[in-house]
Amino acid sequence: MANLKIIEDLSNAFGPSGFEEEVVKVVQKHCEGLNLRNDAMHNVYATMPDARGDRPVFMLDAHTDECGFMVQNIEDNGLLSIIMLGGFHLTSLPAHTVIIRNSRGEKIRGIITSKPVHFLTAAQKAENSLTIEELKVDVGACSRQEVEEEYGIRVGDPMMPEVTFSYDEKHEVCFGKAFDNRMGCMCIIETMQALKAETDKLAVDVVGAFAAQEEVGMRGATVTAQQVKPDLAIVFEGSPADDFYYRTGVAQGCMHKGVQIRHMDNSYVANPVFMQYAHEIAEKYGIKCQDTVRRGGSTNAGKISLTNQAVPVLVLGIPSRYVHSHYNFCAKEDIEATIRMAVEVIRGLNDEKIRHILRQDILD
């Protein structure tokens, strides 16, 4: 069963790209019994307390950052110019609220401006287009001096969407922000906690890697992959659900249809042997799953798979509606299917299967 408290804490945490400290603290809170260390980039590494160090390394990856913003300038009238940290679509932003964290650690609410319809010209109403330069954030101040002195806000301060997590128990649906990819972070924690008591029985040493700055170019995974040096990996993602955009039979990221197994995106092509093994596990344990071939998008698999002599990576996604916007939905059963898939994939490994996935037997 998915621990909803972990999901709530992770989703509510402040953590735009480059400012993931609060997420790190939440990870620490819920990784009881695991060994943790971090680096200067806010990447976090979790290992089992009795890891042996003489087995192949199996890396569990998820990124801690969320799409957010940074104060680019403070105008004389007190409005904040912003830049994006990650890929929002501009039309989803006006009139929504954000939280700015100032240098004192205070959190201040702001509104992303939208010109009232009363002040739009006919041409503006017809065009209905935006640029990031046109969007400002209003914190209720009337001057630059007030923003700086009374609100303590400076150029370079980060901000995130203001959304509070909730759970619809009747329909078993989660609502919140940053499901891309706090859901993946939760899956690392739950997978490692599920396997912690049986470390000696596993064929691999499991390492959790919570990577920073994915939304601005998979930067954290570039570092974690070099540090962990994995032989195999699972990348967890809060994948964009497409069940409202494509008809049945075409949609490949549907809520309530299980874990999403990704064959390809712009960053990598999956190892077919690893994919076959994942499907065998799904069939054996009755785990609901759905396959996807993405025309776009990318994950940390793009960096991890290119480490050392190449790393087979299994990308497991939790279909999440409206990612890269303020508000997300996902189904609890899909989270649980993702965790179960990861746990049973790792439990089922032996030396022969590992050699096969690594293609070490291809020239035998």
Side-chain angles (χ1 to χ4, degrees):
M1 298 293 288
N3 187 328
L4 294 176
K5 180 58 177 172
I6 300 177
I7 299 172
E8 178 181 4
D9 290 350
L10 286 167
S11 176
N12 288 342
F14 187 98
S17 304
F19 301 91
E20 300 92 350
E21 306 98 305
E22 196 169 299
V23 188
V24 169
K25 290 296 186 182
V26 173
V27 168
Q28 180 184 32
K29 172 184 175 182
H30 291 288
C31 280
E32 182 178 357
L34 302 175
N35 298 323
L36 296 182
R37 66 179 180 88
N38 68 284
D39 61 28
M41 200 178 198
H42 299 317
N43 299 313
V44 178
Y45 307 86
T47 55
M48 300 294 194
D50 52 356
R52 288 181 5 200
D54 61 347
R55 296 176 291 192
V57 174
F58 199 113
M59 178 178 178
L60 302 177
D61 163 88
H63 66 88
T64 55
D65 61 318
E66 63 187 295
C67 292
F69 309 90
M70 180 183 286
V71 178
Q72 191 268 334
N73 188 35
I74 304 172
E75 300 192 1
D76 288 342
N77 62 6
L79 291 178
L80 311 179
S81 297
I82 58 175
I83 62 170
M84 292 189 292
L85 296 170
F88 288 106
H89 195 280
L90 294 177
T91 56
S92 70
L93 298 179
H96 289 302
T97 55
V98 292
I99 296 295
I100 302 104
R101 192 183 71 189
N102 67 18
S103 58
R104 300 194 290 260
E106 298 165 337
K107 293 177 180 175
I108 297 151
R109 177 183 287 116
I111 302 172
I112 300 177
T113 58
S114 60
K115 185 182 289 188
V117 66
H118 316 71
F119 304 142
L120 294 175
T121 66
Q124 287 173 326
K125 291 178 184 178
E127 186 180 57
N128 196 27
S129 63
L130 290 169
T131 66
I132 190 64
E133 289 80 11
E134 292 176 283
L135 295 179
K136 313 292 181 184
V137 171
D138 182 355
V139 296
C142 295
S143 69
R144 180 186 179 114
Q145 182 179 6
E146 186 181 1
V147 169
E148 293 180 341
E149 295 181 3
E150 299 297 324
Y151 291 84
I153 295 173
R154 297 286 189 272
V155 169
D157 285 346
M159 64 184 76
M160 69 170 187
E162 183 188 28
V163 183
T164 301
F165 178 87
S166 64
Y167 179 65
D168 180 347
E169 188 169 358
K170 179 179 179 180
H171 302 100
E172 297 190 324
V173 170
C174 299
F175 166 88
K177 70 168 178 67
F179 288 3
D180 174 15
N181 189 25
R182 305 291 164 69
M183 287 298 168
C185 295
M186 184 265 189
C187 288
I188 293 181
I189 295 169
E190 292 282 75
T191 299
M192 294 191 74
Q193 295 291 11
L195 294 171
K196 186 172 61 178
E198 53 192 271
T199 304
D200 284 345
K201 301 176 183 177
L202 302 178
V204 292
D205 283 328
V206 181
V207 177
F210 301 84
Q213 297 190 37
E214 190 265 358
E215 298 292 0
V216 290
M218 300 178 283
R219 298 171 187 174
T222 304
V223 176
T224 60
Q226 294 176 52
Q227 290 293 306
V228 175
K229 297 180 174 61
D231 297 287
L232 301 163
I234 286 175
V235 167
F236 294 111
E237 262 292 349
S239 298
D242 63 357
D243 47 358
F244 278 178
Y245 310 109
Y246 301 109
R247 65 183 183 277
T248 302
V250 176
Q252 298 179 340
C254 305
M255 281 177 56
H256 298 288
K257 290 195 175 180
V259 56
Q260 184 192 66
I261 303 176
R262 186 176 300 204
H263 291 252
M264 178 184 174
D265 60 28
N266 278 343
S267 65
Y268 98 125
V269 177
N271 176 301
V273 182
F274 208 172
M275 298 293 282
Q276 180 182 354
Y277 173 54
H279 282 96
E280 291 170 358
I281 290 293
E283 184 175 352
K284 179 177 180 180
Y285 293 100
I287 301 170
K288 290 169 67 174
C289 66
Q290 48 193 317
D291 293 290
T292 183
V293 174
R294 293 286 308 277
R295 295 181 185 272
S298 61
T299 73
N300 281 341
K303 297 294 185 182
I304 297 167
S305 63
L306 302 180
T307 304
N308 294 328
Q309 299 181 59
V311 178
V313 181
L314 180 65
V315 178
L316 301 181
I318 299 162
S320 302
R321 289 181 181 163
Y322 318 119
V323 296
H324 287 220
S325 75
H326 271 56
Y327 313 105
N328 306 155
F329 281 128
C330 76
K332 181 169 174 279
E333 66 176 302
D334 297 338
I335 303 169
E336 293 172 344
T338 304
I339 296 167
R340 181 82 190 283
M341 172 69 80
V343 168
E344 298 302 345
V345 160
I346 294 171
R347 278 178 176 157
L349 288 172
N350 55 38
D351 291 343
E352 182 180 355
K353 283 188 175 68
I354 292 170
R355 278 180 51 81
H356 190 39
I357 295 170
L358 295 176
R359 303 179 182 180
Q360 292 174 338
D361 57 357
I362 196 167
L363 296 178
D364 291 350

